[in-house]
Amino acid sequence: MLAVSISLCALVSLVYSDPQESLPAVCVGNFCYSLHREERKFNMARSICKKAGGDAMTVRTTVAAEAMAVLMQSVEADPSSHFWLGLQLHQKTCPSNSSRLMGYRWVNGDNDTDYTNWGSVSEECGPRCVAFSGKDRWVDRRCNKKADGVLCEYRYNSNCEPLTPTNSSVTYLTPFGAWSSELTSLPQGTVAEVSPGDIRLRCNDTLGWVKEPVPRVCLVNNGGCQHICQEGPPLKCSCRSGYRLDSDELSCQPVDPCEEEQCAHSCQLQQGKPVCSCESGYRLDADHKTCIDIDECLSDSCPQLCENTPGSFQCRCKKGYQMSQDGKCEDINECKESKCSQRCSNTEGSFTCFCTSGYEIDPEDRTKCVWYCNSDSCPAHCYGDGCTCPPNFILDDSTQICHDIDECQSYCLGHICSNSPGSFKCECRKGYELQLNGNCEPEGSGDFTLIEAQTSKPTTYPIPASAGLSLSVVLGTIFAIAVLTLICAGVGHHLLKKRGKWQTSTKYKSANAEEDVNLSQVTTGEDCKHQYSNEKCNVGT
């Protein structure tokens, strides 16, 4: 590394393109670098390098970094000065810590590097460009903000060794327009002027130094220039508007206006002027360069729901509908999927379940049916060796009839109680409030109070009645003092079961007491046929 630094220092000189203007330059192998002190925005600064056959400098190795540092020292750059490098963050791209270049790319499009020297990096998204500051660090800036100059890079296929004439001096004119007599590596195309004698030699790519047969003057063959010849020293070629000088410094190539336009998507020439255009699903912004996504959902592009995506959109259907092949939302017939335990009626975007006679919709699950007795007694459901009754009914073993239990004999004692099939309603007198245990206590004395115990339809499936508890036993124990202990045990057992399911037990009501207990209407199969078509009264499997 020390040898490289010493070599670089030896290669640097104030290279003159004009007696009043100095142009620092460094050549190492097949690469040359120069520093131009002209305040320009990034794209205009790059054009300075391109006109000389190069581009903004890429600092991929420590050798290039050393050359850049020497160039900065040669101009004694102020710490607040900034010089553009060939590193930029493209439009709609944001900085990223996943790479050494923080998401930036060199001007040739790649992101390969063995060297970085970041200072501050903004979190702003592109377009952003990088400059080398007088504090010897890389800093990112807005590309449309002027910097103090630009560092240029030139690459050549071959180079020549310096001439060592005797009793004469040699001045070299490099292809990128710099004069020097001290460069120790001369790129292909460099012209050497030896004086005295006015000998002109050119560094050829294969033969080394070759004497030019005809002196280059604008009066002879336009100095070899395709467009404009400017007398020197040194003689220079330039191009008309709309063209740029080629690497041979003689011929001119048309300039593509779209290269400078920086269109977000694509660019086309219309009457010689660049015009930006956007891909499908986007529109041009007010700057006529940036492309903005079009929200197709604002134009009612979908029958129901619409989700906008970059450059496009997706249609979706509401719950209860599905997308058809022609792009429409069709109602899903949930009844085909056996959503209901008994009967099902399909509706637009939904469905409704019904129960057969003797059953009601379960308030806890509207797709299920539970056995419900709407009178003081109903036949029991018997299966093989046992019979079952609805909740809060008791089985008469001899008749296999389920009789409603009168809860008012155990609850609301001393207050107002109304019994109903499968439940009851308790109201406390003024100054009392209903407790979870079904008793009325003075206001403020309980942990949790209910203003009124309301009943409703069943909320759980029926459970089998106790085999040892039947109507004949209950009636017998009411009049038999000798078995009073058995009566108390049966009532106590019943109270324990009622306490755990207080809220659910109060959901059962009689159709005869709808004014008091808020009973929901039971729709039977026959009722369904009166209200709906036969197609909507399907029985679920």
Side-chain angles (χ1 to χ4, degrees):
M1 184 59 66
L2 178 60
V4 173
S5 300
I6 296 174
S7 176
L8 288 173
C9 293
L11 292 174
V12 175
S13 65
L14 293 182
V15 185
Y16 294 93
S17 59
D18 186 88
Q20 286 78 35
E21 182 182 3
S22 61
L23 178 65
V26 175
C27 288
V28 181
N30 293 343
F31 287 88
C32 288
Y33 309 97
S34 64
L35 187 150
H36 295 260
R37 289 178 292 185
E38 297 181 40
E39 288 189 6
R40 292 285 189 274
K41 298 178 182 178
F42 180 76
N43 286 331
M44 295 303 297
R46 279 187 70 188
S47 66
I48 296 175
C49 303
K50 288 183 176 181
K51 286 180 180 179
D55 206 336
M57 185 176 182
T58 62
V59 189
R60 305 165 185 264
T61 63
T62 55
V63 174
E66 288 284 349
M68 180 175 60
V70 173
L71 288 174
M72 297 293 289
Q73 292 174 5
S74 67
V75 299
E76 298 179 357
D78 187 87
S80 62
S81 60
H82 294 81
F83 295 84
W84 290 120
L85 296 176
L87 190 60
Q88 63 182 146
L89 185 69
H90 292 282
Q91 191 169 7
K92 287 192 175 181
T93 304
C94 297
S96 171
N97 293 326
S98 61
S99 66
R100 297 188 67 182
L101 290 181
M102 309 295 287
Y104 285 70
R105 288 185 175 272
W106 300 113
V107 288
N108 65 353
D110 67 53
N111 60 354
D112 295 332
T113 189
D114 294 326
Y115 175 84
T116 59
N117 189 20
W118 288 107
S120 61
V121 180
S122 171
E123 295 182 358
E124 292 183 25
C125 298
R128 304 281 292 180
C129 299
V130 176
F132 187 74
S133 71
K135 297 180 180 180
D136 298 334
R137 300 302 296 273
W138 298 2
V139 295
D140 67 314
R141 297 158 59 89
R142 293 195 303 272
C143 299
N144 59 1
K145 183 179 180 181
K146 290 184 178 181
D148 300 288
V150 61
L151 290 155
C152 297
E153 175 184 291
Y154 312 92
R155 180 180 298 184
Y156 302 95
N157 294 329
S158 61
N159 53 50
C160 295
E161 295 293 330
L163 297 172
T164 56
T166 304
N167 300 323
S168 60
S169 63
V170 180
T171 302
Y172 300 103
L173 172 60
T174 63
F176 51 90
W179 282 90
S180 175
S181 59
E182 300 179 8
L183 292 175
T184 58
S185 179
L186 291 310
Q188 170 192 346
T190 298
V191 174
E193 291 188 356
V194 182
S195 61
D198 295 330
I199 299 175
R200 295 171 63 88
L201 304 173
R202 180 178 290 273
C203 178
N204 189 282
D205 57 340
T206 58
L207 302 177
W209 292 105
V210 178
K211 186 176 180 179
E212 292 190 330
V214 180
R216 291 186 60 196
V217 293
C218 292
L219 294 177
V220 179
N221 198 26
N222 197 36
C225 300
Q226 182 179 354
H227 285 180
I228 302 171
C229 179
Q230 299 173 339
E231 291 287 1
L235 184 146
K236 290 184 178 180
C237 296
S238 60
C239 299
R240 295 190 296 269
S241 177
Y243 292 81
R244 60 176 176 83
L245 195 64
D246 206 353
S247 59
D248 61 4
E249 298 187 1
L250 298 174
S251 57
C252 296
Q253 298 293 335
V255 175
D256 185 0
C258 285
E259 291 182 1
E260 302 293 333
E261 194 64 17
Q262 293 188 343
C263 296
H265 285 181
S266 59
C267 176
Q268 295 178 343
L269 291 180
Q270 297 182 4
Q271 298 180 351
K273 296 182 179 180
V275 177
C276 296
S277 59
C278 297
E279 298 173 358
S280 177
Y282 294 84
R283 62 176 177 83
L284 277 176
D285 200 2
D287 62 1
H288 300 290
K289 296 182 181 181
T290 307
C291 293
I292 300 177
D293 175 52
I294 298 174
D295 189 352
E296 293 85 355
C297 294
L298 298 179
S299 58
D300 296 330
S301 303
C302 297
Q304 288 188 355
L305 304 178
C306 180
E307 178 183 353
N308 188 54
T309 59
S312 185
F313 66 98
Q314 290 184 350
C315 292
R316 302 185 185 279
C317 296
K318 298 178 181 178
K319 183 179 181 181
Y321 294 84
Q322 62 185 1
M323 188 71 68
S324 63
Q325 293 183 352
D326 58 358
K328 297 181 180 179
C329 290
E330 296 180 344
D331 173 53
I332 298 174
N333 188 355
E334 292 86 355
C335 293
K336 292 183 179 180
E337 303 175 7
S338 302
K339 293 286 187 178
C340 301
S341 62
Q342 291 189 358
R343 293 186 176 183
C344 177
S345 174
N346 187 57
T347 60
E348 193 68 24
S350 186
F351 65 99
T352 303
C353 294
F354 298 93
C355 300
T356 58
S357 178
Y359 290 85
E360 288 292 335
I361 291 294
D362 186 350
E364 302 297 332
D365 186 348
R366 305 297 296 178
T367 65
K368 296 179 180 180
C369 296
V370 294
W371 182 20
Y372 176 57
C373 181
N374 198 27
S375 62
D376 292 339
S377 61
C378 293
H381 283 189
C382 297
Y383 316 94
D385 297 336
C387 297
T388 60
C389 289
N392 300 319
F393 279 75
I394 192 169
L395 175 66
D396 185 344
D397 292 326
S398 60
T399 62
Q400 294 185 345
I401 297 296
C402 296
H403 296 275
D404 174 48
I405 297 175
D406 186 0
E407 290 88 351
C408 291
Q409 295 183 9
S410 304
Y411 299 95
C412 286
L413 302 178
H415 295 269
I416 303 172
C417 180
S418 301
N419 186 56
S420 60
S423 186
F424 68 100
K425 177 181 177 182
C426 183
E427 297 183 22
C428 299
R429 300 195 305 271
K430 185 176 182 181
Y432 289 82
E433 54 192 0
L434 190 63
Q435 306 297 311
L436 284 174
N437 60 9
N439 296 323
C440 293
E441 301 291 344
E443 292 182 351
S445 62
D447 295 332
F448 182 83
T449 61
L450 297 172
I451 297 177
E452 182 177 288
Q454 295 287 356
T455 58
S456 65
K457 295 178 182 178
T459 59
T460 59
Y461 287 101
I463 59 174
S466 173
L469 185 61
S470 63
L471 181 61
S472 58
V473 175
V474 173
L475 294 177
T477 54
I478 293 176
F479 301 101
I481 299 176
V483 290
L484 181 60
T485 302
L486 180 60
I487 296 176
C488 294
V491 173
H493 175 68
H494 177 69
L495 288 179
L496 288 175
K497 292 176 63 178
K498 289 291 290 182
R499 182 174 183 179
K501 298 182 179 179
W502 174 264
Q503 292 180 325
T504 58
S505 67
T506 57
K507 296 180 181 178
Y508 301 87
K509 290 188 176 182
S510 169
N512 297 329
E514 288 184 357
E515 297 181 357
D516 294 331
V517 296
N518 299 327
L519 178 64
S520 299
Q521 182 178 356
V522 177
T523 305
T524 65
E526 295 299 324
D527 294 333
C528 175
K529 293 180 180 179
H530 287 294
Q531 297 181 31
Y532 303 91
S533 65
N534 291 332
E535 294 180 356
K536 294 187 176 182
C537 293
N538 300 321
V539 177
T541 57

